Amino acid sequence: MTHPQQHSGDRILIALLTLLAACLRLSHLGQPSLWWDEFITLGVALEPLARSLRTLAFQSASDYGVELFPPLAHLITRATLLAGHADWLVRLPVSLAGIATVPACFALLRRPLGRTSAFAAALLLALSVYHVHFSRELRPYALFMLENALSMACLLRHLERPRLGTALGFAALALAMLYTSYMASTLLAAQFLFAGGVLALRAARGRDARREAFRAGLLLALALVPAALAYLPWLHAQARVLTLLRDPGFVPPLDWGFVLRTLREFAAFAYVGDFPAWALLAALGLAGAVLALRERRSRPLACLLLLWAGLPWLSIVLVGVRMELSSRYVFPTMLACVLLAGHALGWTARTLMDRLLRGARFPLAEISLAALACALVSIPNLQSLDAYYGRESSHYKDLAAWCAENRDDADLLLFAHPRQLKLVSNWYVPGLLDEARALAGKGYLRALLLAPDSLGAAALPGAVHRARIAWTDVLRLGIARTPVRPLIPDATGLCRYEDDFSTQRFYEDAFEARNAAPSLEQRVLTSYEPALPARAVYRFQAPPESRPARASLTLELVLYATNLADSDGAVSVWVRPGDGEPRPVARVEARELRGQTPGPDRKLRKTISWPLDDAVRGASAFDLILEIDPSTREMPLEISALRLEAALDGLPPPPQALPQALLDQLPLAPWTPGERLALSRALHAFALDDAAPLAGTSPASLHQRFLAEHPGIDPVRLLAYPDGRPAAALYDASLADPFAPLPAGGETPLDAWPRSPRAVPALRLRGLLDRPVLQAGNARLSVDVVSPQTGTLSLNLGGRARLTLEPLFTPGNLPRGMALYDARPAAREECLVCDGPRPCSATLGIVTGMPAGRLRVRAYPRVEARPDGTNMVRALVSLDGLSWREMGRFQGSGSGRWEGLKAPRYWETDLNGATGEIFVRFELAGSGAQLWSAPDARMRIDLDLDARAAAPLQLPAWPLAAWTSNPKSLELLLLERPIVFPDWLMRSR
């Protein structure tokens, strides 16, 4: 019988372990962005329930791609979303599961190994950054670890004392495991093998033992039957996943390199030092296994852990599925290593105390010694915690924040592939800009396009590269929509239209689109929302004195080939002559492509042509309608190329009729030298051939002058004659840079198109601000701000403003506007250093007449982390230059190595409405400290200001002159909507 004091001591230890685990797993939980695997879980949870279950079961197309897990973790996330939408909130259940795993492991080990070993093992797990990481990741792994620990504890308890309750508990946990991860079949097999072996050995001892073994096995079997029946509806989904991944010829790279990388992650996930923590963990785990196998009481647990940890490695070799190997697929090895290593430390602590106290028991001393040993073993983990909490793997928040801060005059948010990044933007900046879910009407639109860095701006006509954040490029793109396509024949007498969906042409030419969009990355026309049908309409218009006589359509269809080969997607083609009813042309189903040979990209392709003569003959206009049916099983059928040819009866129009018909659908503004358009969505059109004048264009003679005023500008779109010769070029001077220059002592003519009154609720000023007065027509604005260097003032008139400074340190050059004291720029690196061993500093001074609020700094300090902590970089703020308040510091972990470099640190403080001078100082402790600011790791200082006293500008008449009193040139951007300040995306660590 267990003494009550033992229960009390266990409860205290469990409480302390749980508290420690909670502190490490909940700290800064919402700071890092969700990375892509987490968005997979979130994407499933955000879908309607029936659709998400169907997608998981049949691997049908989705915004998040392929998800290879059963639905339990996603259902928990779905329930969490009822409480709100925040990174920390959706990660919370995972963290709670990770926290609960620590006391669960204590309970697993308490009876077979004793209190000290159980405590040491649970403490090692609590301090494991590897387990901390997966307890903070929105994936099923932490929940699965918890279920495994509890199921093994239940199984051991049942085998020791067979009861219906323990059998039912094990069965319930087994069912939860099956609905959490497909790895459950392997890990449950290990537990079943263990249970079978134990019962078989017990049955061999005699009649009474055989009866007890039979009873234990029967209870387990009876409890597992309903669990198996409950999993039966999902069994087909597991079979589909295995079929999808099966590749008998694949040889998993289980080499020493993978084993070593895995052990390093298990031992100290974020550690970058030289100490071989992996070797220590492996040695302790091996020692713990030997010690556990030696003792009769702990031998069953050791056998169970070794079998449970080893079977996943065997299954990777034998199952024959293609998968990218990762340590997470063999996590039982980590848990077994940590638990057995804890046993080795606990046994050592017990043995030492037993010898020191000559057999007397002093449990508190044993626990304390074991805790000390665990802390020493965990030093690499403890040293790496700060770096781990500051990690940023995906930078999705940075991407979303950049788009929010720089949406400026954009109208649309487009995606090179309308899947993954769409999910990211809808989570972090929902409703920031319209998306291309539907297209209709003519006109000109500006778009932000998010594209993989492999696509590049060069592939898209007129695209302007604005930023690269991690692996994503942000491009500004002009969409000149001409939704009615004129049928003008070339020299051969044929009218031709074609698109391979590699550029923005679909957005320009589609008459109407509902849930249809091009994937510029995959070069296909596909569904914007993959679970819904897509419809795209092209309208073709014959000239007044002609009619179509015949026409033909050619489509290239594409289907991604998988082992499942059961897509039920389809593409339908319709033609609607004039205002008549649509006529069916063809319907192609995915199964018709299965006889094709897949290419190197694993895609099946089929090209099909159809005559359209009967449908279009004699019609002045006709619509080509393409419909893409969603696939409820695996990938959809998509369109990779379109080509239409038509011949006309009647009088052929002149060649310039083609570009003229397109120009007539666009908002065109005349270009005046030296003038900039503001608050407008219009294009400047230039004829490229004065021999054939085009209405609405400026003459070719002005074209070169325009290019001289805007060096490096590319046309948004080139309009061509039917034979392909360029006829007109369309430009948007605001696309590459929406800011208009305001020269010091001069004025800039601004015009708007159309010339209607405008209200300006927000503006941005860029340059070296020195209390500028801005005059635009009769509107006047005083900006009471002095910036020490070139910065950007984003100003919501009558609301909030923000001054942003981004100093850049170039080797050997003094940073402008910074007062240096015993500091200098490094000769060959993009950082500031001290001139000698003594401390140094760099100070920026800002002056504001607007009340100041939050001051936020993103800095990149680097220090030689001395054990005494004396090497550091500090950020301080002062309102008078005499008394200073510390905002934050970085001094490393005391490892003796250089730490920091391009890992950002975030410091902030509230200035509580202060006005006047504001000083920001960076103090470096000496020669072992650096302050970096490079193009790929740029310091940033944000000062929030209260601009409620500034009224919106009213601009009733155009054109107008804009000028500023600023002694230095500025740049101005007038905006039609308030500026977004994405504070919810800003890290504070």
Side-chain angles (χ1 to χ4, degrees):
M1 181 176 179
T2 306
H3 196 278
Q5 287 185 350
Q6 291 184 334
H7 286 304
S8 176
D10 286 353
R11 285 194 291 268
I12 292 173
L13 292 179
I14 288 173
L16 293 174
L17 289 167
T18 305
L19 181 61
L20 174 63
C23 290
L24 295 180
R25 284 151 183 78
L26 296 177
S27 294
H28 317 292
L29 187 59
Q31 289 289 308
S33 310
L34 299 176
W35 75 294
W36 178 242
D37 280 19
E38 293 180 282
F39 268 110
I40 294 176
T41 306
L42 183 62
V44 176
L46 287 169
E47 283 189 320
L49 180 59
R51 184 191 304 172
S52 67
L53 293 176
R54 185 180 67 232
T55 302
L56 290 176
F58 293 98
Q59 305 303 317
S60 53
S62 64
D63 283 341
Y64 44 84
V66 176
E67 171 63 307
L68 302 177
F69 282 92
L72 181 57
H74 310 87
L75 293 174
I76 294 173
T77 304
R78 182 183 183 86
T80 307
L81 289 169
L82 297 176
H85 287 58
D87 288 359
W88 70 268
L89 183 60
V90 294
R91 284 174 172 148
L92 185 59
V94 177
S95 294
L96 294 177
I99 294 165
T101 304
V102 173
C105 286
F106 181 91
L108 171 64
L109 304 187
R110 176 64 177 89
R111 292 172 68 87
L113 298 183
R115 176 192 288 170
T116 305
S117 288
F119 170 77
L123 180 57
L124 279 182
L125 184 64
L127 296 175
S128 167
V129 176
Y130 186 87
H131 190 257
V132 168
H133 174 72
F134 285 102
S135 301
R136 296 161 58 86
E137 183 180 85
L138 183 57
R139 297 296 282 157
Y141 303 111
L143 176 62
F144 194 47
M145 288 186 200
L146 173 63
E147 292 164 349
N148 274 270
L150 292 175
S151 68
M152 288 191 290
C154 242
L155 181 61
L156 288 173
R157 179 62 64 89
H158 179 77
L159 294 177
E160 182 182 343
R161 297 182 62 186
R163 294 288 186 272
L164 180 60
T166 54
L168 290 173
F170 176 77
L173 288 164
L175 180 62
M177 288 169 62
L178 288 168
Y179 273 109
T180 301
S181 172
Y182 294 124
M183 288 175 58
S185 54
T186 299
L187 299 179
L188 285 173
Q191 297 190 50
F192 293 155
L193 286 173
F194 169 77
V198 169
L199 294 177
L201 289 174
R202 186 175 298 170
R205 295 176 186 169
R207 180 180 298 177
D208 291 341
R210 188 180 305 117
R211 185 181 298 113
E212 184 182 354
F214 177 77
R215 180 172 177 272
L218 181 62
L219 288 174
L220 268 182
L222 291 175
L224 286 169
V225 167
L229 293 175
Y231 187 65
L232 199 59
W234 199 260
L235 189 60
H236 73 97
Q238 181 167 351
R240 285 181 65 86
V241 168
L242 290 175
T243 303
L244 179 68
L245 298 177
R246 188 173 299 281
D247 184 354
F250 177 69
V251 179
L254 289 177
D255 52 13
W256 172 244
F258 172 73
V259 174
L260 185 59
R261 288 193 304 273
T262 299
L263 287 175
R264 283 174 173 163
E265 290 186 16
F266 288 167
F269 183 70
Y271 180 63
V272 293
D274 300 323
F275 180 75
W278 66 272
L280 178 59
L281 178 66
L284 287 172
L286 184 59
V290 172
L291 291 169
L293 289 170
R294 284 173 51 189
E295 299 181 17
R296 181 177 178 181
R297 188 179 68 168
S298 58
R299 192 173 299 136
L301 172 67
C303 293
L304 173 58
L305 287 176
L306 293 174
L307 185 61
W308 178 73
L311 211 56
W313 295 85
L314 186 62
S315 68
I316 289 173
V317 176
L318 297 180
V319 172
V321 298
R322 178 176 291 274
M323 57 193 301
E324 183 179 346
L325 286 185
S326 165
S327 63
R328 67 191 69 192
Y329 299 131
V330 290
F331 81 85
T333 303
M334 182 278 299
L335 202 54
C337 271
V338 168
L339 298 184
L340 292 171
H343 177 45
L345 294 176
W347 180 89
T348 303
R350 283 198 312 271
T351 303
L352 284 175
M353 293 307 301
D354 186 59
R355 292 183 179 180
L356 288 172
L357 301 177
R358 300 176 183 269
R361 296 302 307 276
F362 190 10
L364 182 58
E366 291 180 9
I367 293 293
S368 301
L369 186 58
L372 177 60
C374 290
L376 292 174
V377 170
S378 300
I379 284 176
N381 277 302
L382 296 173
Q383 285 183 339
S384 63
L385 267 175
D386 185 66
Y388 170 74
Y389 287 137
R391 285 165 58 108
E392 179 59 63
S393 56
S394 72
H395 293 276
Y396 284 143
K397 283 185 178 178
D398 295 337
L399 177 64
W402 191 96
C403 292
E405 291 179 327
N406 296 275
R407 71 173 181 173
D408 295 338
D409 54 0
D411 306 288
L412 293 174
L413 183 61
L414 302 180
F415 308 94
H417 184 53
R419 293 291 182 269
Q420 289 90 342
L421 289 175
K422 179 181 69 179
L423 183 59
V424 173
S425 69
N426 287 336
W427 176 253
Y428 283 132
V429 282
L432 176 69
L433 289 167
D434 290 338
E435 297 179 19
R437 301 176 188 275
L439 285 176
K442 59 187 179 181
Y444 177 64
L445 302 170
R446 299 186 186 98
L448 290 180
L449 173 70
L450 305 185
D453 54 10
S454 57
L455 184 67
L460 303 173
V464 178
H465 185 273
R466 289 296 308 278
R468 173 168 293 171
I469 300 170
W471 302 275
T472 303
D473 282 337
V474 185
L475 312 176
R476 272 175 63 93
L477 196 64
I479 306 294
R481 280 192 44 76
T482 52
V484 177
R485 184 70 188 182
L487 291 172
I488 309 297
D490 57 19
T492 66
L494 288 178
C495 312
R496 292 183 170 87
Y497 178 81
E498 58 186 27
D499 191 5
D500 64 358
F501 306 106
S502 62
T503 69
Q504 66 268 40
R505 187 168 190 180
F506 174 83
Y507 296 119
E508 296 171 342
D509 293 342
F511 178 75
E512 177 186 291
R514 292 201 300 271
N515 198 47
S519 169
L520 309 180
E521 183 180 347
Q522 301 292 330
R523 298 192 170 196
V524 295
L525 181 65
T526 187
S527 302
Y528 194 81
E529 296 290 348
L532 302 176
R535 177 185 173 93
V537 180
Y538 291 86
R539 174 158 294 179
F540 296 93
Q541 176 76 50
E545 298 181 5
S546 302
R547 292 292 183 272
R550 62 183 185 277
S552 66
L553 172 68
T554 301
L555 294 182
E556 183 183 71
L557 305 175
V558 63
L559 176 68
Y560 190 81
T562 71
N563 293 340
L564 297 173
D566 63 349
S567 170
D568 57 354
V571 169
S572 300
V573 182
W574 304 72
V575 172
R576 177 170 54 212
D579 296 327
E581 292 297 318
R583 302 182 185 180
V585 174
R587 176 179 172 83
V588 183
E589 297 182 353
R591 58 184 174 83
E592 299 177 36
L593 275 70
R594 290 175 195 154
Q596 308 294 318
T597 302
D601 57 359
R602 299 191 67 186
K603 291 181 178 179
L604 307 174
R605 298 180 185 275
K606 187 173 184 178
T607 301
I608 311 177
S609 297
W610 302 276
L612 308 179
D613 303 354
D614 294 341
V616 305
R617 186 178 292 116
S620 60
F622 65 88
D623 291 346
L624 172 64
I625 304 171
L626 305 174
E627 294 180 346
I628 302 174
D629 291 351
S631 174
T632 60
R633 298 188 299 272
E634 62 160 345
M635 297 297 103
L637 186 61
E638 297 167 320
I639 303 170
S640 59
L642 175 155
R643 184 169 65 254
L644 184 135
E645 294 183 349
L648 303 181
D649 282 341
L651 186 65
Q656 60 266 33
L658 176 57
Q660 187 63 67
L662 297 174
L663 287 167
D664 291 344
Q665 301 178 59
L666 294 169
L668 304 177
W671 181 67
T672 302
E675 190 174 74
R676 289 291 296 264
L677 287 179
L679 305 170
S680 303
R681 288 166 182 79
L683 294 161
H684 296 306
F686 293 90
L688 302 179
D689 181 5
D690 282 340
L694 296 170
T697 63
S698 299
S701 56
L702 282 179
H703 188 209
Q704 292 304 316
R705 188 168 177 183
F706 176 84
L707 294 178
E709 280 197 20
H710 303 281
I713 192 172
D714 291 321
V716 168
R717 186 175 175 184
L718 283 173
L719 305 182
Y721 295 114
D723 61 3
R725 290 182 299 112
L730 307 178
Y731 292 94
D732 175 12
S734 297
L735 190 65
D737 187 359
F739 285 79
L742 295 178
E747 61 182 32
T748 298
L750 297 180
D751 202 355
W753 200 264
R755 288 171 173 163
S756 56
R758 303 282 207 280
V760 180
L763 59 85
R764 301 179 74 190
L765 279 173
R766 189 165 64 193
L768 192 63
L769 304 174
D770 189 359
R771 292 193 173 94
V773 175
L774 173 66
Q775 186 87 28
N778 294 325
R780 186 181 180 90
L781 176 67
S782 296
V783 180
D784 194 2
V785 172
V786 179
S787 63
Q789 55 184 231
T790 299
T792 301
L793 180 66
S794 302
L795 183 61
N796 282 330
L797 299 168
R800 178 181 173 190
R802 174 175 289 169
L803 176 65
T804 300
L805 305 176
E806 294 184 289
L808 187 63
F809 306 148
T810 55
N813 294 323
L814 292 174
R816 180 168 186 171
M818 269 192 167
L820 303 183
Y821 177 77
D822 285 345
R824 60 176 175 82
R828 296 178 182 175
E829 295 179 309
E830 295 155 315
C831 63
L832 295 181
V833 297
C834 291
D835 234 348
R838 294 187 305 173
C840 63
S841 65
T843 306
L844 280 165
I846 302 169
V847 181
T848 174
M850 292 186 279
R854 188 180 63 168
L855 173 66
R856 183 174 183 273
V857 174
R858 181 185 69 201
Y860 294 85
R862 187 187 186 208
V863 300
E864 188 179 12
R866 295 173 182 166
D868 60 5
T870 55
N871 247 0
M872 69 180 75
V873 174
R874 296 200 304 160
L876 305 102
V877 63
S878 173
L879 301 181
D880 57 9
L882 299 175
S883 57
W884 296 86
R885 183 170 79 223
E886 182 176 304
M887 295 177 61
R889 66 174 62 189
F890 175 66
Q891 57 194 106
S893 64
S895 65
R897 300 183 308 273
W898 281 94
E899 296 180 5
L901 191 56
K902 294 184 178 180
R905 303 287 154 175
Y906 302 91
W907 301 314
E908 61 182 59
T909 188
D910 196 336
L911 300 181
N912 299 312
T915 57
E917 292 183 311
I918 298 169
F919 298 96
V920 181
R921 173 173 291 175
F922 300 94
E923 286 188 353
L924 286 65
S927 56
Q930 299 173 342
L931 182 65
W932 282 72
S933 186
D936 60 341
R938 194 159 186 170
M939 177 190 291
R940 173 167 165 162
I941 300 170
D942 290 312
L943 178 62
D944 285 353
L945 302 169
D946 187 342
R948 285 178 291 182
L953 302 180
Q954 302 296 328
L955 305 177
W958 300 88
L960 55 81
W963 63 270
T964 177
S965 65
N966 206 67
K968 300 288 185 181
S969 297
L970 297 176
E971 294 175 299
L972 170 67
L973 172 60
L974 302 177
L975 296 169
E976 295 177 308
R977 60 194 168 200
I979 297 167
V980 175
F981 298 109
D983 296 330
W984 66 95
L985 299 175
M986 299 300 181
R987 294 189 63 150
S988 60
R989 180 182 178 85

